[in-house]
PDB file of all heavy atoms in Angstrom:
ATOM      1  N   GLY Q 232      89.051 111.096  77.529  1.00 97.00           N
ATOM      2  CA  GLY Q 232      88.237 110.097  77.047  1.00 97.00           C
ATOM      3  C   GLY Q 232      88.739 108.712  77.207  1.00 97.00           C
ATOM      4  O   GLY Q 232      88.394 107.762  76.474  1.00 97.00           O
ATOM      5  N   SER Q 233      89.657 108.594  78.133  1.00 95.00           N
ATOM      6  CA  SER Q 233      90.266 107.258  78.266  1.00 95.00           C
ATOM      7  C   SER Q 233      90.978 107.204  79.652  1.00 95.00           C
ATOM      8  O   SER Q 233      91.266 108.277  80.177  1.00 95.00           O
ATOM      9  CB  SER Q 233      91.360 107.098  77.193  1.00 95.00           C
ATOM     10  OG  SER Q 233      92.079 105.830  77.428  1.00 95.00           O
ATOM     11  N   LYS Q 234      91.194 106.046  80.217  1.00 95.00           N
ATOM     12  CA  LYS Q 234      91.706 105.990  81.537  1.00 95.00           C
ATOM     13  C   LYS Q 234      93.214 106.058  81.416  1.00 95.00           C
ATOM     14  O   LYS Q 234      93.956 105.156  81.052  1.00 95.00           O
ATOM     15  CB  LYS Q 234      91.317 104.707  82.295  1.00 95.00           C
ATOM     16  CG  LYS Q 234      91.928 104.547  83.667  1.00 95.00           C
ATOM     17  CD  LYS Q 234      91.194 103.585  84.454  1.00 95.00           C
ATOM     18  CE  LYS Q 234      92.004 103.211  85.705  1.00 95.00           C
ATOM     19  NZ  LYS Q 234      91.258 102.258  86.544  1.00 95.00           N
ATOM     20  N   VAL Q 235      93.781 107.235  81.885  1.00 97.00           N
ATOM     21  CA  VAL Q 235      95.264 107.363  81.866  1.00 97.00           C
ATOM     22  C   VAL Q 235      95.829 107.528  83.287  1.00 97.00           C
ATOM     23  O   VAL Q 235      96.968 107.537  83.519  1.00 97.00           O
ATOM     24  CB  VAL Q 235      95.749 108.555  81.001  1.00 97.00           C
ATOM     25  CG1 VAL Q 235      95.346 108.278  79.469  1.00 97.00           C
ATOM     26  CG2 VAL Q 235      95.099 109.951  81.362  1.00 97.00           C
ATOM     27  N   THR Q 236      94.855 107.795  84.292  1.00 97.00           N
ATOM     28  CA  THR Q 236      95.321 108.044  85.631  1.00 97.00           C
ATOM     29  C   THR Q 236      94.274 107.298  86.475  1.00 97.00           C
ATOM     30  O   THR Q 236      93.091 107.177  86.202  1.00 97.00           O
ATOM     31  CB  THR Q 236      95.416 109.562  85.885  1.00 97.00           C
ATOM     32  OG1 THR Q 236      95.865 109.705  87.296  1.00 97.00           O
ATOM     33  CG2 THR Q 236      94.078 110.280  85.738  1.00 97.00           C
ATOM     34  N   ILE Q 237      94.684 106.876  87.702  1.00 97.00           N
ATOM     35  CA  ILE Q 237      93.844 105.988  88.502  1.00 97.00           C
ATOM     36  C   ILE Q 237      93.056 106.870  89.549  1.00 97.00           C
ATOM     37  O   ILE Q 237      93.406 107.957  89.786  1.00 97.00           O
ATOM     38  CB  ILE Q 237      94.704 104.936  89.334  1.00 97.00           C
ATOM     39  CG1 ILE Q 237      95.655 105.578  90.278  1.00 97.00           C
ATOM     40  CG2 ILE Q 237      95.354 104.012  88.346  1.00 97.00           C
ATOM     41  CD1 ILE Q 237      96.300 104.585  91.246  1.00 97.00           C
ATOM     42  N   VAL Q 238      91.910 106.224  89.959  1.00 97.00           N
ATOM     43  CA  VAL Q 238      90.925 106.845  90.737  1.00 97.00           C
ATOM     44  C   VAL Q 238      90.556 106.011  91.937  1.00 97.00           C
ATOM     45  O   VAL Q 238      90.555 104.739  91.749  1.00 97.00           O
ATOM     46  CB  VAL Q 238      89.611 107.128  89.859  1.00 97.00           C
ATOM     47  CG1 VAL Q 238      88.484 107.406  90.686  1.00 97.00           C
ATOM     48  CG2 VAL Q 238      89.933 108.103  88.771  1.00 97.00           C
ATOM     49  N   SER Q 239      90.363 106.516  92.988  1.00 97.00           N
ATOM     50  CA  SER Q 239      89.743 105.726  94.146  1.00 97.00           C
ATOM     51  C   SER Q 239      88.897 106.574  95.054  1.00 97.00           C
ATOM     52  O   SER Q 239      88.942 107.674  94.995  1.00 97.00           O
ATOM     53  CB  SER Q 239      90.864 104.960  94.885  1.00 97.00           C
ATOM     54  OG  SER Q 239      91.236 105.755  96.003  1.00 97.00           O
ATOM     55  N   ARG Q 240      88.143 105.804  95.845  1.00 96.00           N
ATOM     56  CA  ARG Q 240      87.266 106.498  96.824  1.00 96.00           C
ATOM     57  C   ARG Q 240      88.226 107.125  97.973  1.00 96.00           C
ATOM     58  O   ARG Q 240      87.631 108.026  98.607  1.00 96.00           O
ATOM     59  CB  ARG Q 240      86.193 105.569  97.441  1.00 96.00           C
ATOM     60  CG  ARG Q 240      85.043 105.368  96.588  1.00 96.00           C
ATOM     61  CD  ARG Q 240      84.074 104.317  97.232  1.00 96.00           C
ATOM     62  NE  ARG Q 240      84.756 102.974  97.183  1.00 96.00           N
ATOM     63  CZ  ARG Q 240      84.780 102.139  98.127  1.00 96.00           C
ATOM     64  NH1 ARG Q 240      84.202 102.353  99.322  1.00 96.00           N
ATOM     65  NH2 ARG Q 240      85.458 100.962  98.050  1.00 96.00           N
ATOM     66  N   LYS Q 241      89.343 106.611  98.120  1.00 96.00           N
ATOM     67  CA  LYS Q 241      90.199 107.074  99.172  1.00 96.00           C
ATOM     68  C   LYS Q 241      90.904 108.430  98.796  1.00 96.00           C
ATOM     69  O   LYS Q 241      91.207 108.647  97.594  1.00 96.00           O
ATOM     70  CB  LYS Q 241      91.247 106.058  99.516  1.00 96.00           C
ATOM     71  CG  LYS Q 241      90.636 104.776 100.057  1.00 96.00           C
ATOM     72  CD  LYS Q 241      91.683 103.805 100.533  1.00 96.00           C
ATOM     73  CE  LYS Q 241      91.051 102.566 101.218  1.00 96.00           C
ATOM     74  NZ  LYS Q 241      90.407 101.676 100.320  1.00 96.00           N
ATOM     75  N   VAL Q 242      91.341 109.078  99.827  1.00 96.00           N
ATOM     76  CA  VAL Q 242      92.090 110.314  99.571  1.00 96.00           C
ATOM     77  C   VAL Q 242      93.572 109.924  99.260  1.00 96.00           C
ATOM     78  O   VAL Q 242      94.055 108.789  99.373  1.00 96.00           O
ATOM     79  CB  VAL Q 242      92.156 111.290 100.797  1.00 96.00           C
ATOM     80  CG1 VAL Q 242      90.727 111.827 101.113  1.00 96.00           C
ATOM     81  CG2 VAL Q 242      92.813 110.586 101.923  1.00 96.00           C
ATOM     82  N   GLN Q 243      94.312 110.886  98.597  1.00 97.00           N
ATOM     83  CA  GLN Q 243      95.741 110.788  98.283  1.00 97.00           C
ATOM     84  C   GLN Q 243      96.014 109.512  97.406  1.00 97.00           C
ATOM     85  O   GLN Q 243      96.954 108.841  97.615  1.00 97.00           O
ATOM     86  CB  GLN Q 243      96.484 110.645  99.543  1.00 97.00           C
ATOM     87  CG  GLN Q 243      96.465 111.999 100.394  1.00 97.00           C
ATOM     88  CD  GLN Q 243      96.789 111.771 101.884  1.00 97.00           C
ATOM     89  OE1 GLN Q 243      97.594 110.872 102.212  1.00 97.00           O
ATOM     90  NE2 GLN Q 243      96.110 112.443 102.670  1.00 97.00           N
ATOM     91  N   THR Q 244      95.163 109.361  96.376  1.00 97.00           N
ATOM     92  CA  THR Q 244      95.472 108.296  95.473  1.00 97.00           C
ATOM     93  C   THR Q 244      96.604 108.708  94.468  1.00 97.00           C
ATOM     94  O   THR Q 244      97.549 107.859  94.268  1.00 97.00           O
ATOM     95  CB  THR Q 244      94.131 107.991  94.717  1.00 97.00           C
ATOM     96  OG1 THR Q 244      93.108 107.717  95.591  1.00 97.00           O
ATOM     97  CG2 THR Q 244      94.345 106.822  93.687  1.00 97.00           C
ATOM     98  N   THR Q 245      96.455 109.802  93.854  1.00 97.00           N
ATOM     99  CA  THR Q 245      97.485 110.239  92.905  1.00 97.00           C
ATOM    100  C   THR Q 245      98.684 110.662  93.624  1.00 97.00           C
ATOM    101  O   THR Q 245      98.627 111.351  94.536  1.00 97.00           O
ATOM    102  CB  THR Q 245      96.902 111.332  92.037  1.00 97.00           C
ATOM    103  OG1 THR Q 245      95.697 110.910  91.460  1.00 97.00           O
ATOM    104  CG2 THR Q 245      97.943 111.745  90.882  1.00 97.00           C
ATOM    105  N   ARG Q 246      99.959 110.210  93.175  1.00 97.00           N
ATOM    106  CA  ARG Q 246     101.125 110.552  93.863  1.00 97.00           C
ATOM    107  C   ARG Q 246     102.096 111.353  93.046  1.00 97.00           C
ATOM    108  O   ARG Q 246     102.924 111.946  93.580  1.00 97.00           O
ATOM    109  CB  ARG Q 246     101.866 109.194  94.329  1.00 97.00           C
ATOM    110  CG  ARG Q 246     101.198 108.591  95.453  1.00 97.00           C
ATOM    111  CD  ARG Q 246     102.020 107.416  96.019  1.00 97.00           C
ATOM    112  NE  ARG Q 246     101.251 106.742  97.152  1.00 97.00           N
ATOM    113  CZ  ARG Q 246     101.474 105.639  97.533  1.00 97.00           C
ATOM    114  NH1 ARG Q 246     102.367 104.832  96.935  1.00 97.00           N
ATOM    115  NH2 ARG Q 246     100.757 105.095  98.591  1.00 97.00           N
ATOM    116  N   ALA Q 247     101.912 111.428  91.732  1.00 97.00           N
ATOM    117  CA  ALA Q 247     102.936 112.197  90.996  1.00 97.00           C
ATOM    118  C   ALA Q 247     102.150 112.887  89.808  1.00 97.00           C
ATOM    119  O   ALA Q 247     100.851 112.696  89.686  1.00 97.00           O
ATOM    120  CB  ALA Q 247     103.908 111.245  90.363  1.00 97.00           C
ATOM    121  N   LEU Q 248     102.892 113.675  89.003  1.00 97.00           N
ATOM    122  CA  LEU Q 248     102.127 114.336  87.889  1.00 97.00           C
ATOM    123  C   LEU Q 248     101.902 113.378  86.746  1.00 97.00           C
ATOM    124  O   LEU Q 248     102.770 112.655  86.339  1.00 97.00           O
ATOM    125  CB  LEU Q 248     103.012 115.471  87.384  1.00 97.00           C
ATOM    126  CG  LEU Q 248     103.434 116.628  88.432  1.00 97.00           C
ATOM    127  CD1 LEU Q 248     104.371 117.737  87.718  1.00 97.00           C
ATOM    128  CD2 LEU Q 248     102.190 117.215  88.977  1.00 97.00           C
TER     129      LEU Q 248
END
Side-chain angles (χ1 to χ4, degrees):
S233 177
K234 179 161 166 182
V235 296
T236 182
I237 63 167
V238 165
S239 90
R240 278 177 291 137
K241 296 187 173 72
V242 296
Q243 296 159 34
T244 304
T245 306
R246 286 187 179 158
L248 301 180

